[in-house]
Amino acid sequence: MGKAEVGTPKYLANKMKAKGLQKLRWYCQMCQKQCRDENGFKCHTMSESHQRQLLLFADNPGKFLHSFSKEFSDGYMELLRRRFGTKRTNANKIYQEYIAHKEHIHMNATRWLTLSDYVKWLGRTGQVIADETEKGWFVTYIDRSPEAMERQAKADRKEKMEKDDEERMTDFIEKQIKKAKAKDGDSETDQEKFTELKREENEPLKLDIRLEKKFQPETVLGKSALTSKRSASEVDKKVFKKPKSIAGDRDRDREGSQSRSALDEIIKQEEAKKERANRKDYWLHKDIVVKFISKSMGDKFFKQKAVVQEVIDKFQAKIKFLDTGEKLKVDQAHLETVIPALDKPVMVVNGAYRGSEAILRKLDERKFSVSVEILHGPLKGRIVDNVQYEDISKLY
C-alpha cells in the first residue's frame, strides 16, 4: 500500500499521529525512524535499509556510540546552561524538557543505560555538582566561561582586601589593649601600699599621733589682726581642696574605664563585621572529623565518623571513614560536625573566626555552645565564648 497523497485526510491523520512523542523502545536511532507499535518496529528491523545501517554500525560501533553520546550530552548541557543557569535543578526535569524536542538523540543510543548513570558521570567529570536526595538526582551547572571566571577572580580579590583590612584593624585593637593594660599597671604602682598592723602579745600599744597646731591670732603687741587674717576664700580653698593623690587616682580610673569601654565597643563592632563577612552557607574544611548522618548508603555508614580529605566545589567533599577506611564523595547535607573532649584541638568552620584552629575550653550543653581559645595568628590566646556546635568540628 503506497503513501497517502499530500493534502488528503489520510495524510493529515498520519501527520497528526507522528507529531507527538512515541514509545522509546520503538525508535531506531541508526535509521532515525519512530515506529508507532511493536508490529511496525518488527517490520522495520527486517527491512533492507535497516540491515544496511546495522552493517555500518558493526564496522565501527565505538565511533557511532561516541557520536551519539556526545550529541546527547551536548544537548542536555546546553539546555541546562541556557534554561536553568547555575540554579540547583532536578535532573529529570531537564531531561523531560530535552526529550520534548522530537529530533533529540535518544538515551538508548548512548553509552549510559539510565539517567542516573549519566548524572553520576557528569559529577565525576566535574561538569556539574550532582547530589542525590529523596526526590531524585539534582544537578547544579558549573559556569567556567571567561566572564564567570573574571567575576570569581574579582570576588576573591575583594575578599582578600577585606581580610587584610581586618588584620590591620585587629593589630590596632591589640595595641590599644596593651596600652590600656600598661596604664592600669602604672596606676596600681602609684597607689599607696598599706602594711598589716602587728604587735607582740605583752607589748603595750603606742600611738604616734601628730596633731597640727590650732590657729592662734597674734596679740596686739605683734602684727595687726587685719594684716594677718587670711581671706575667707583662701580658707575655703584650703579646707575643701581635694588631696592630689586621691583626685589623680579617680581621674585615672575614669579615663581607664572610658578607654576600656571604647575598646570593648570597637571589638564588638569588628566581631560583628567579621561574623557577617565569614558566615557562609558552606562549612566543609580539609582535615576535620565529621559524622555521616544519611541512610542513603544503608546502615553500614550511618552515624560513622570520617575525615575530610578534599573539599570539592565548597558543598561536596571526599571523606574517608575512620573504621573501615572506605572513601566516599558526599554532599555536606549528609554530614554534621563532631565535638571532641575538653582541651582537644578543633577547627572553627563558620562564623567570625572561620578557618582558625583552636582549643576547646568549656562546654555549655544547655545553650548548645562552647568556648574556644584561638591557637595561631594575631588573635592567639583569645577566648571566644558562645560558639555554636555546628560552627566547630574536631581536627583529625
Side-chain angles (χ1 to χ4, degrees), residues 211-274:
L211 300 176
E212 295 183 356
K213 293 182 180 180
K214 295 183 178 180
F215 174 74
Q216 296 178 356
E218 296 185 7
T219 60
V220 292
L221 297 176
K223 297 180 180 180
S224 66
L226 294 175
T227 58
S228 63
K229 277 186 179 181
R230 291 172 292 179
S231 63
S233 61
E234 291 179 356
V235 174
D236 293 340
K237 290 180 181 178
K238 186 76 174 180
V239 174
F240 296 103
K241 188 175 181 181
K242 295 180 181 178
K244 290 184 179 180
S245 61
I246 299 175
D249 292 343
R250 290 179 180 176
D251 292 340
R252 279 192 293 270
D253 292 341
R254 190 181 300 109
E255 291 176 359
S257 63
Q258 291 177 355
S259 63
R260 283 194 295 270
S261 62
L263 284 174
D264 293 339
E265 187 64 27
I266 293 174
I267 292 173
K268 288 180 180 179
Q269 292 178 0
E270 289 303 315
E271 287 187 348
K273 182 179 178 182
K274 288 167 62 178

Side-chain angles (χ1 to χ4, degrees), residues 138-155:
F138 282 78
V139 294
T140 306
Y141 178 70
I142 302 174
D143 192 359
R144 291 191 174 90
S145 61
E147 296 82 4
M149 299 297 286
E150 181 64 24
R151 287 196 301 269
Q152 183 64 32
K154 287 183 179 179

Side-chain angles (χ1 to χ4, degrees), residues 90-152:
N90 193 311
N92 189 52
K93 180 180 179 181
I94 306 169
Y95 178 72
Q96 294 300 325
E97 291 196 16
Y98 173 74
I99 65 174
H101 186 264
K102 187 178 180 182
E103 302 299 328
H104 71 276
I105 301 296
H106 292 63
M107 181 168 280
N108 62 353
T110 65
R111 53 186 285 196
W112 304 288
L113 299 178
T114 61
L115 181 62
S116 299
D117 294 338
Y118 173 63
V119 172
K120 292 177 184 177
W121 177 80
L122 288 178
R124 286 195 301 270
T125 55
Q127 300 182 54
V128 299
I129 301 174
D131 60 296
E132 186 181 10
T133 64
E134 297 177 354
K135 297 182 180 180
W137 283 94
F138 282 78
V139 294
T140 306
Y141 178 70
I142 302 174
D143 192 359
R144 291 191 174 90
S145 61
E147 296 82 4
M149 299 297 286
E150 181 64 24
R151 287 196 301 269
Q152 183 64 32

Side-chain angles (χ1 to χ4, degrees), residues 50-66:
H50 180 75
Q51 296 298 326
R52 285 198 301 266
Q53 293 294 331
L54 286 185
L55 290 176
L56 292 175
F57 182 83
D59 290 340
N60 194 353
K63 175 184 176 182
F64 287 98
L65 194 63
H66 176 73

